[in-house]
Amino acid sequence: MKKNRVNISGILFYILVIAVMLIILFPFIWQILTSIKSERELWSIPPIWIPKKINLDYYYSVFIKRPFLTYIKNSFIVASSTTVFSVLVASFASYALARLHFKGKNIILSLVLAVSMFPGIAIVSPLYIFMMNVHLLNTYIGLIIPYTTFTLPLAIWNLTTFFREIPFELEESARVDGATYMQTFMRIIFPLAAPGVFTTAILSFISAWNEFLFALVFNTKDMMRTVPVAIAMFPGEHELPWGDMAAASVVVTIPLIIIVLIFQRRIISGLTAGAIKG
Amino acid sequence: MNAVKRTRRQGLSESQFGYLMVFPALLCIGLIALYPVVQTFWLSLHRLRLQFPDMTKFVGLQNYITIFGDDRFINATINTVEFTIVSVALELVFGLCIAMLMNKEYKGRGLMRAAALVPWAIPTTVSAMMWKFIYNDQLGVLNDILVRLHIIPEYKAWLGSEVTAMGAAIVADVWKTTPFMALLLLAGLQVIPRELYEAATVDGASAWRQFITITLPLLRPTILVALIFRTLDAFRVFDLVYVLTGGGPGNSTETLSVYAYKTLFRNMDFGMGSALSVIIFVFIFIISLIYIRILSSGSSAE
């Protein structure tokens, strides 16, 4: 339509877009630059913006001198188990909420929504005592249980939206052919909702990966820490290890950026589905 | 497979099967979310220090009486409210602008959207660390930029001063969550029919007038939903403040969640800490009720 027409407002528009993108990305770009500086460049005042050559000492320090791989492993085990449990439990519930008739569905949906607003701090004290009594402090399970619960609301809302979109005739014909509810769910509905299930899985994973309060409180042993807590604990007694922290943040952020770039459409639709239709 | 057979044999009705399917989710929510809230309340009625469990004693509402007369609680409440109102207001304004930038069609729009997801996707502690370094009084790039532009005469300790620390925390929060706000609002913008704008343009309405008469009213439900999410999130802010300032300097950035955390896990005072948790819960509950009221009054008026 307006192709090739280079006008001033068009240029201004692009300048605005680029400015916004720069502001959004700047802290991260700065972190990358910091992570590859030499010790001398990092501590110079005023700051040196662009390092003369790439220096990987801080990455070496993060992975070799600190047990950062262990933190990543902890986070990965906790987040992926949470994702599996949450998606499984949520898809059962969402199937029923989206496609079956029974009393109390609206109450259940409102309850689920209410739980998504729960402040973690409101339940952390009894959960801590519980985890202490059953010896689940400093374990993976101790985190997976609350994470599964708190990723359920978003998962249920998302999956309910997806399950509703599948045509009802498919299900009816399967039922006519003598399939049980469970068979219809497992063989017809669940596979058809695969994209929705996948989106929900990504969102659950990211939210479990990023959780801080429970991880900080329940898993206090260094070797059981998750990535967000480990990074928050980097500052020791003395000078702040800015280089290590920068390198560690880059290591954690890059996989997330890749996930976001590949699945941006799905993530956005998953994040916004509840807000618009709800 | 076993489950399938059993279902058929017993011939579950549709509603029985429905309840069976929602049961695991309700069990999780009941045991890990609802029941603990009741427990928190019960704990809050006790004098309970975790180091001395034998000295636990029921004290009724004593903890609440102590808290309401406590300056530190008043200070934390004011900080939380200030943080919530200022950051959510800024996020709404910037979020709306960015959403409108993303709603136009141009080359690189996908890139812009992907960039917007980055702050949302990274852990808050990581973004807090990034900002902590940016704000650093000696090495921080913010001081460098502002001095080079002659906006400030000399380096400042942004996080070290009671005057600027809260503002610094708010900026970091706005940076992290505005893109999320923008994406929510964008989804709302996209369902507004284009014909409305075309008709308005034909009628000679200015862009500003179109924004006021078409965009804002039709976006109202989405804005409200985005505000609910963000207000409740901002009100329970913990990780950002914990990493950025730890509540300091001199409690000037201490929010309710940070105060409750310190009482629970630094002082190991579970009675007092639980009472603070219950108060946060009640605040959140009241805020949700207000929003739900506004939302439902809007939809019934239409």
Side-chain angles (χ1 to χ4, degrees), chain B residues 213-225:
Chain B
T213 55
I214 302 172
T215 313
L216 272 188
L218 288 176
L219 206 57
R220 190 186 122 102
T222 317
I223 290 178
L224 274 172
V225 171

Side-chain angles (χ1 to χ4, degrees), chain A residues 13-14 16-17 20-21 23-28 30-31 34 42-47 49 89 92-93 95-97 99-104 108 111-112 115-119 121-129 132 145-146 148-150 152 156 178 180-183 185 187 203 206 209-210 212-213 216-217 228-229 231-233 235 240 242 245 249 252-253 256-257 260-261 264-265 267-268 271-272 275-276, chain B residues 1 3-4 7-8 12-15 17-19 21-22 24-26 28-29 32-34 36-37 39-40 43 48 50 98 101 104 106-108 110-126 129-134 136 138-141 144-145 148 155 175 179-180 183-184 187-188 191 222 225 228-229 232 236 238-239 242-243 257 260-261 264-265 268 270 274 277 280-281 284 288:
Chain A
F13 179 75
Y14 265 100
L16 189 62
V17 169
V20 170
M21 275 182 66
I23 293 173
I24 292 176
L25 295 178
F26 180 78
F28 185 62
W30 186 248
Q31 206 71 348
T34 306
L42 178 71
W43 292 94
S44 86
I45 304 170
W49 281 54
V89 173
F92 287 151
Y95 172 74
L97 292 169
R99 309 187 72 92
L100 299 177
H101 299 281
F102 58 97
K103 273 186 197 156
I108 294 173
L111 182 76
V112 167
V115 167
S116 75
M117 315 270 181
F118 262 43
I121 194 84
I123 55 164
V124 76
S125 51
L127 279 184
Y128 180 84
I129 293 176
M132 189 172 67
I145 293 171
T148 302
T149 306
F150 286 97
L152 273 180
I156 290 178
T180 63
Y181 285 111
M182 189 50 111
Q183 285 169 329
F185 171 66
R187 303 214 182 127
L203 294 178
I206 292 180
W209 180 272
N210 291 352
F212 183 64
L213 177 63
L216 173 73
V217 168
V229 179
I231 288 183
M233 294 293 167
L240 289 172
W242 293 116
M245 292 193 299
S249 337
V252 182
T253 309
L256 286 169
I257 291 185
V260 158
L261 280 177
Q264 56 150 315
R265 265 172 207 288
I267 294 176
I268 293 174
L271 276 178
T272 52
I276 306 308
Chain B
M1 278 291 99
V4 172
T7 311
R8 182 178 287 164
L12 283 181
S13 75
E14 185 168 342
S15 64
F17 185 66
Y19 291 124
M21 295 285 266
V22 292
L26 290 183
C28 281
I29 288 173
I32 309 296
L34 299 180
V37 171
Q39 275 183 307
T40 308
L43 289 176
L48 166 56
L50 220 52
I98 296 176
L101 274 184
K104 289 210 179 295
Y106 54 91
K107 269 185 198 159
L111 211 62
M112 171 87 174
R113 280 198 226 182
L117 277 175
V118 172
W120 166 81
I122 62 177
T124 308
T125 53
V126 170
M129 279 299 176
M130 289 181 182
W131 281 95
K132 198 171 177 163
F133 189 49
I134 290 174
N136 188 276
Q138 300 289 314
L139 312 170
V141 70
D144 187 41
I145 293 173
R148 275 174 207 251
Y155 284 12
W175 174 82
F180 172 75
L183 291 171
L184 283 184
V191 291
T222 317
V225 171
I228 297 180
F229 280 124
L232 297 182
R236 59 192 166 188
F238 176 71
D239 0 10
Y242 180 89
V243 173
S257 292
Y261 166 81
L264 286 169
F265 296 101
M268 287 294 173
F270 267 50
S274 299
S277 304
I280 298 173
F281 183 80
I284 296 254
S288 322

Side-chain angles (χ1 to χ4, degrees), chain A residues 27-39:
Chain A
F28 185 62
I29 295 170
W30 186 248
Q31 206 71 348
I32 295 179
L33 289 174
T34 306
S35 73
I36 54 171
K37 282 175 189 170
S38 68
E39 192 84 24

Side-chain angles (χ1 to χ4, degrees), chain B:
Chain B
M1 278 291 99
N2 219 343
V4 172
K5 269 184 206 145
R6 206 166 46 228
T7 311
R8 182 178 287 164
R9 251 205 320 273
Q10 293 174 352
L12 283 181
S13 75
E14 185 168 342
S15 64
Q16 278 171 324
F17 185 66
Y19 291 124
L20 187 70
M21 295 285 266
V22 292
F23 180 72
L26 290 183
L27 188 71
C28 281
I29 288 173
L31 284 183
I32 309 296
L34 299 180
Y35 177 57
V37 171
V38 180
Q39 275 183 307
T40 308
F41 180 67
W42 181 241
L43 289 176
S44 77
L45 302 178
H46 291 78
R47 191 178 65 204
L48 166 56
R49 289 186 170 264
L50 220 52
Q51 316 96 303
F52 314 110
D54 298 340
M55 289 168 63
T56 305
K57 192 181 152 204
F58 185 87
V59 291
L61 295 174
Q62 188 54 50
N63 288 328
Y64 293 91
I65 295 169
T66 314
I67 288 171
F68 286 123
D70 170 21
D71 287 343
R72 193 169 164 197
F73 167 72
I74 312 266
N75 169 63
T77 309
I78 294 172
N79 286 342
T80 310
V81 171
E82 182 191 341
F83 177 88
T84 306
I85 293 180
V86 178
S87 62
V88 173
L90 291 174
E91 284 156 30
L92 177 63
V93 173
F94 292 134
L96 201 52
C97 297
I98 296 176
M100 293 176 56
L101 274 184
M102 291 195 285
N103 197 27
K104 289 210 179 295
E105 278 181 37
Y106 54 91
K107 269 185 198 159
R109 184 167 77 155
L111 211 62
M112 171 87 174
R113 280 198 226 182
L117 277 175
V118 172
W120 166 81
I122 62 177
T124 308
T125 53
V126 170
S127 72
M129 279 299 176
M130 289 181 182
W131 281 95
K132 198 171 177 163
F133 189 49
I134 290 174
Y135 288 138
N136 188 276
D137 52 346
Q138 300 289 314
L139 312 170
V141 70
L142 179 67
N143 276 325
D144 187 41
I145 293 173
L146 294 179
V147 166
R148 275 174 207 251
L149 295 175
H150 300 288
I151 294 173
I152 54 171
E154 56 188 8
Y155 284 12
K156 277 179 178 238
W158 299 98
L159 297 173
S161 139
E162 296 196 8
V163 185
T164 49
M166 180 56 94
I170 290 174
V171 169
D173 188 63
V174 169
W175 174 82
K176 170 120 173 74
T177 50
T178 298
F180 172 75
M181 187 77 128
L183 291 171
L184 283 184
L185 296 174
L186 174 66
L189 282 177
Q190 284 171 335
V191 291
I192 299 177
R194 298 234 164 221
E195 300 85 62
L196 287 177
Y197 293 105
E198 283 157 19
T201 312
V202 171
D203 293 346
S206 66
W208 175 248
R209 204 157 161 71
Q210 292 184 20
F211 176 75
I212 294 292
T213 55
I214 302 172
T215 313
L216 272 188
L218 288 176
L219 206 57
R220 190 186 122 102
T222 317
I223 290 178
L224 274 172
V225 171
L227 282 180
I228 297 180
F229 280 124
R230 282 302 315 143
T231 309
L232 297 182
D233 245 11
F235 198 87
R236 59 192 166 188
V237 60
F238 176 71
D239 0 10
L240 177 74
V241 175
Y242 180 89
V243 173
L244 209 53
T245 64
N251 292 344
S252 62
T253 55
E254 188 173 78
T255 59
L256 285 168
S257 292
V258 175
Y259 183 25
Y261 166 81
K262 285 182 184 166
T263 312
L264 286 169
F265 296 101
R266 295 258 168 90
N267 305 349
M268 287 294 173
D269 187 341
F270 267 50
M272 205 68 125
S274 299
L276 283 165
S277 304
V278 169
I279 293 172
I280 298 173
F281 183 80
V282 170
F283 276 138
I284 296 254
F285 191 74
I286 294 172
I287 300 173
S288 322
L289 282 186
I290 296 173
Y291 270 118
I292 290 168
R293 253 275 163 72
I294 302 175
L295 252 183
S296 56
S297 75
S299 55
S300 62
E302 272 158 26

